[in-house]
Amino acid sequence: MTTKFKNGLAKQPGGAFHYCIRVNGKQYKGSTRATDLLTAKKVLEEKRRQILMGECGVRRIPTLGEIREEWLRVHKAVYSTKHWRDVEIVSRLWILPHLRSSRVDRITNGDVLHLRSQMLEAGRSPVSVNDMLKILKLLGNFGVRQGYLSKLPFRVQFLRVQKKPRPTLAAAQAHQFFAAVDRTACNPHIPVLIRAMVGLGLRESEALGMRWEWFNPEQRTYVVGKAKGKEARILPVPGWLWDSIHAMPMRLNEWVFPAEDGRPHRSQFCKKPLQRACKELGLGNLTHHRLRATFASLHAEAGTPITEIQGMLGHKNIQTTMIYVETSLEAKRSAQDVLSLKLGLA
């Protein structure tokens, strides 16, 4: 006897409801194992959801908006707060208004080029446009890893950006710089944090996350116990920095630089005082990451082997370390003077 299904359900002689669903030309049948209609309907909806989400062999291609929500949910506890917020803000302001409802596999080069043109027409800089493209590719590649796509459906080149000289702090400017930071900082932790980034070459997150337990008073060393590369490294602490850190009022807290809530200060904590000090001295855009480059450059000028600088910075690839080492203006001037002597023009 042929079973007649009504709204995808049919009651069998044994009393249980069976379901029959057709999706994309393919039929799915089975038992709900439920004897009452209300429960059977709930099982039917769950089976339909599983089929649409690919759990029964059919993969539903999500929209870009859905990919974004999935990325934000999955990576909130994985990436840094700053990176997560950058993805959330840029995608919300620029990507979603144009591509939210577009299926991720149907985004074309034309769609991305149009979005790029709109940002430029709105007065956004090429750097901002490239940041948007990076995030769009990040979301697309996440879709590839999740199995929604076999490859990115678009291929758009980044805009070429004229690079500017990257500032670093010269050794002769150190005293003036630290004095300016002391004058402009309203929190006593800021001057010491900035000194730690210059004296140890720490990333901002590593400096903010310093712990008292990672200091060794006997050897005067500090262990970077939580680093970007997931590998701890031991750094000798120079005397001037050791004195600055241990001159701060001690709190009953595991963190060296705790905020009012007992947790470490948040990202960009030193940004404004650093900007004020740089503006006062005319140092340009000397960010906290350029302080890390200052550490590398000053060590290179002092003759420290590049492999030692690599170890202190925590780089796995020495080519990355070379990016951080900047040649000072004085070194370039000295080289020019030597050449002038050789040419007999000095």
Side-chain angles (χ1 to χ4, degrees):
M1 181 177 177
T2 305
T3 303
K4 292 184 179 180
F5 288 86
K6 182 179 180 181
N7 297 325
L9 291 171
K11 194 167 187 177
Q12 300 298 310
F17 282 88
H18 282 218
Y19 66 88
C20 179
I21 306 172
R22 185 176 292 276
V23 177
N24 292 343
K26 189 173 180 179
Q27 193 176 72
Y28 298 88
K29 287 185 176 181
S31 174
T32 65
R33 298 185 181 182
T35 56
D36 65 284
L37 182 60
L38 183 60
T39 304
K41 285 183 177 179
K42 291 181 179 179
V43 175
L44 176 65
E45 289 304 313
E46 179 61 18
K47 290 293 181 183
R48 183 178 284 113
R49 186 194 68 81
Q50 291 177 1
I51 291 170
L52 291 176
M53 294 303 294
E55 295 177 19
C56 292
V58 178
R59 176 65 70 175
R60 173 181 172 269
I61 307 298
T63 64
L64 184 64
E66 292 169 336
I67 284 280
R68 171 191 181 262
E69 293 305 316
E70 185 176 351
W71 188 96
L72 293 175
R73 183 177 65 255
V74 169
H75 293 95
K76 187 164 188 178
V78 177
Y79 286 113
S80 68
T81 304
K82 182 180 184 303
H83 179 62
W84 189 90
R85 282 182 55 81
D86 286 344
V87 174
E88 192 276 329
I89 293 172
V90 173
S91 59
R92 171 165 47 84
L93 293 180
W94 292 105
I95 299 175
L96 292 190
H98 306 281
L99 299 173
R100 179 193 294 272
S101 58
S102 299
R103 247 176 56 174
V104 68
D105 62 327
R106 293 181 178 175
I107 298 175
T108 65
N109 285 350
D111 295 330
V112 181
L113 291 173
H114 180 65
L115 176 57
R116 188 178 74 175
S117 298
Q118 286 191 320
M119 286 190 69
L120 291 172
E121 290 171 2
R124 308 302 295 182
S125 68
V127 174
S128 297
V129 174
N130 285 343
D131 288 340
M132 179 276 297
L133 291 175
K134 288 177 184 177
I135 290 173
L136 184 57
K137 289 185 176 183
L138 172 75
L139 297 176
N141 285 322
F142 176 69
V144 173
R145 292 194 301 274
Q146 293 297 92
Y148 300 125
L149 304 167
S150 59
K151 63 178 182 179
L152 276 180
F154 56 87
R155 187 186 182 96
V156 175
Q157 298 294 326
F158 293 113
L159 296 174
R160 296 189 65 181
V161 179
Q162 178 63 46
K163 294 183 178 180
K164 299 179 180 178
R166 299 181 299 177
T168 56
L169 183 67
Q173 298 173 308
H175 285 290
Q176 285 182 302
F177 172 71
F178 289 137
V181 169
D182 294 342
R183 288 193 299 272
T184 57
C186 56
N187 188 303
H189 288 165
I190 291 175
V192 186
L193 262 169
I194 291 177
R195 283 172 168 82
M197 286 187 273
V198 175
L200 296 177
L202 299 178
R203 300 177 179 90
E204 182 195 32
S205 60
E206 294 170 347
L208 292 172
M210 293 179 75
R211 294 172 179 259
W212 291 113
E213 61 183 299
W214 292 341
F215 283 98
N216 186 328
E218 296 179 0
Q219 298 181 354
R220 279 207 170 188
T221 59
Y222 177 73
V223 178
V224 184
K226 188 176 180 181
K228 181 180 178 181
K230 309 301 181 186
E231 293 181 2
R233 61 187 192 273
I234 302 176
L235 299 174
V237 182
W240 61 271
L241 179 58
W242 183 276
D243 294 340
S244 296
I245 293 174
H246 289 81
M248 292 190 305
M250 297 284 288
R251 292 188 185 181
L252 294 176
N253 197 295
E254 59 182 323
W255 308 102
V256 178
F257 304 109
E260 292 297 326
D261 59 0
R263 300 293 298 167
H265 291 289
R266 309 308 185 259
S267 176
Q268 305 294 319
F269 173 63
C270 299
K271 181 178 180 179
K272 290 185 179 180
L274 186 58
Q275 287 177 336
R276 289 194 292 267
C278 292
K279 184 177 180 181
E280 180 181 326
L281 300 178
L283 297 176
N285 187 26
L286 190 64
T287 63
H288 59 266
H289 211 67
R290 297 311 300 163
L291 295 180
R292 182 167 156 85
T294 294
F295 171 84
S297 300
L298 292 178
H299 265 288
E301 289 179 23
T304 305
I306 192 66
T307 52
E308 295 296 331
I309 300 175
Q310 176 191 3
M312 288 188 286
L313 291 179
H315 291 152
K316 295 182 179 179
N317 192 328
I318 200 167
Q319 296 299 323
T320 307
T321 307
M322 295 301 297
I323 297 173
Y324 282 72
V325 176
E326 303 283 348
T327 306
S328 69
L329 182 60
E330 291 303 317
K332 294 175 183 176
R333 182 175 287 114
S334 177
Q336 288 284 57
D337 292 341
V338 171
L339 179 60
S340 298
L341 286 172
K342 288 188 175 182
L343 294 175
L345 300 175

